[in-house]
Amino acid sequence: MKLSEPQALNRIAAYCSKAERCEFDVRKKLLAWELSDDAVRRIIERLRKERFLSDERFSRSFINDKLKFNKWGRTKIIYELRKRNIPESVYLPLLEELSGDEFEKQLMHILSVKARSVKANTEYEKKTKLIRFALGRGFSMELAIKCVNKLLGGDYEDYSS
């Protein structure tokens, strides 16, 4: 679909006003509308100037949503932000604001729910499946082992030593 620059600006401003967006997503949408690189650059500058677009605001919202609603760990959140070309200088301070306790609470909650449905022949197999599940959600190996040990009793070695 080919749009003129003013039409694209109006549409993308409406798109940005509905939810927080990052520059990467906006740029992708504008390029899909077959706009020139100069037009895309001008539109993005204008959106930033008028505060429709902010990578920091997007990162804060993204981190909060993925932690609270999707129950993702630090690793998966960082991976997704990198995929969207958000600079580390933007999201690392936001992640540092979160205490490790928040990630631990989330992981304990999802592991306790998951533990009820895991089918395993041995306790070791159950712990392994739960740790793999936690890693898939983006939590660190150290935190996964710590939480599984808290939940089921600890005979796994501490990974950090």
Side-chain angles (χ1 to χ4, degrees):
M1 157 176 33
K2 188 135 173 90
L3 293 177
S4 68
E5 194 171 332
Q7 287 175 319
L9 178 63
N10 287 338
R11 278 197 185 180
I12 208 72
Y15 174 71
C16 289
S17 65
K18 289 178 185 161
E20 290 298 338
R21 311 288 181 187
C22 65
E23 182 180 331
F24 179 78
D25 293 338
V26 169
R27 183 177 300 279
K28 198 165 68 172
K29 200 166 218 25
L30 290 172
L31 290 173
W33 292 341
E34 301 172 17
L35 288 156
S36 70
D37 288 339
D38 280 345
V40 169
R41 185 185 44 73
R42 284 192 299 272
I43 289 173
I44 287 176
E45 281 177 16
R46 178 128 180 235
L47 291 172
R48 282 192 185 288
K49 193 176 83 185
E50 294 180 11
R51 301 197 29 85
F52 279 99
L53 192 60
S54 166
D55 280 348
E56 184 180 344
R57 245 187 5 239
F58 170 79
S59 296
R60 185 177 303 281
S61 170
F62 185 87
I63 290 167
N64 184 45
D65 288 354
K66 298 306 175 189
L67 177 66
K68 296 218 171 27
F69 301 120
N70 295 45
K71 312 276 192 269
W72 284 3
R74 179 184 299 268
T75 308
K76 192 165 185 174
I77 290 172
I78 289 173
Y79 174 77
E80 290 297 324
L81 288 170
R82 280 185 185 154
K83 243 174 52 176
R84 289 172 171 79
N85 297 331
I86 307 289
E88 277 188 14
S89 59
V90 172
Y91 65 77
L92 282 182
L94 299 173
L95 282 169
E96 295 305 318
E97 287 176 12
L98 297 172
S99 67
D101 292 349
E102 291 180 59
F103 285 107
E104 189 174 336
K105 276 195 301 195
Q106 288 289 7
L107 184 55
M108 285 300 291
H109 173 71
I110 63 173
L111 283 176
S112 62
V113 171
K114 182 70 175 174
R116 291 184 223 133
S117 65
V118 168
K119 296 188 181 7
N121 296 328
T122 65
E123 193 71 14
Y124 180 82
E125 187 181 346
K126 185 172 188 172
K127 285 183 179 186
T128 304
K129 286 182 177 186
L130 289 173
I131 289 171
R132 199 175 312 125
F133 172 75
L135 293 175
R137 282 292 182 98
F139 293 93
S140 69
M141 177 65 94
E142 184 180 328
L143 185 60
I145 289 173
K146 178 182 173 186
C147 290
V148 167
N149 282 341
K150 268 189 194 176
L151 195 64
L152 302 176
D155 61 350
Y156 254 92
E157 305 95 46
D158 185 12
Y159 188 72
S160 60
S161 49

